Amino acid sequence: MSKLAIIGGTGLSKLVNLERVRKRVVKTPYGEPSSPITFGELNGVDIVFMARHGYGHNIPPHRINYRANMWALKEVGVTDVVAIAAVGGINRSMPPASLVLPDQLIDYTWGRASTYFEDDLEHVTHIDFTTPYSVELRKKIKRAMYKAEIAVFDKAVYACMQGPRLETAAEIIKLERDGCDLVGMTGMPEAALARELALNYACCALVVNWAAGLEGGEISMRDIEGHAEAGMIKVEHLLKVLVYEMKVDE
């Protein structure tokens, strides 16, 4: 039986409609996770929730302890992870408030602890990362999007930048030339660590702004917050449908 975890990013520090809530602090060999793990019921289904930036949203992307986060989820029996992420839109067909299921990513980050396979190894270990997101979990999310009557964008390349600053207009031009459709700051090493732990992992990206330079002028944090708030209504609706569909499949 699968056990679903939802990782909440910017705009989703908690699930409003989560019931029968209890929290547990999980210690890991890699230090403290971003937050205690929350157990509860969503639409009558048991799930696990973690706040990627902490419940006070005070951990910047480059300081998140990704290894501890993913290890803690594995430790409590999670098998499937849906990672909610706020992103900037590069592809003009994916406007703010869109939900996007990226199928590929490019990692532009640096200096982050990005693997479990580095110390005291019996042999060097490589993971296949040709397809960085779980094909089967993406299918389930896509089906739930259709049932929730949410527009489906399921072909996109996610560019993971270092942060915490936003990008320059020239960087976005480069990312577009590289074939990127979305730009965020938390997609890696989260996805790779999930693969190393044999977790089924998929990203559900919420576009909260046009990327730098596409609209002219500065990016407004007020606009980002507004799009995030509107988009999270879709996210919560999607998750309710998803957990029910996954329960039915079992």
Side-chain angles (χ1 to χ4, degrees), residues 32-51:
E32 295 293 324
S34 294
S35 69
I37 292 179
T38 298
F39 299 83
E41 291 183 2
L42 182 64
N43 204 16
V45 180
D46 290 332
I47 67 160
V48 170
F49 178 81
M50 173 178 280

Side-chain angles (χ1 to χ4, degrees), residues 3-24:
K3 187 171 185 178
L4 177 67
I6 297 164
I7 301 178
T10 300
L12 191 69
S13 60
K14 63 179 180 178
L15 281 173
V16 176
N17 295 309
L18 202 61
E19 299 177 338
R20 302 175 64 85
V21 173
R22 61 184 178 87
K23 294 183 179 181
R24 174 181 164 190

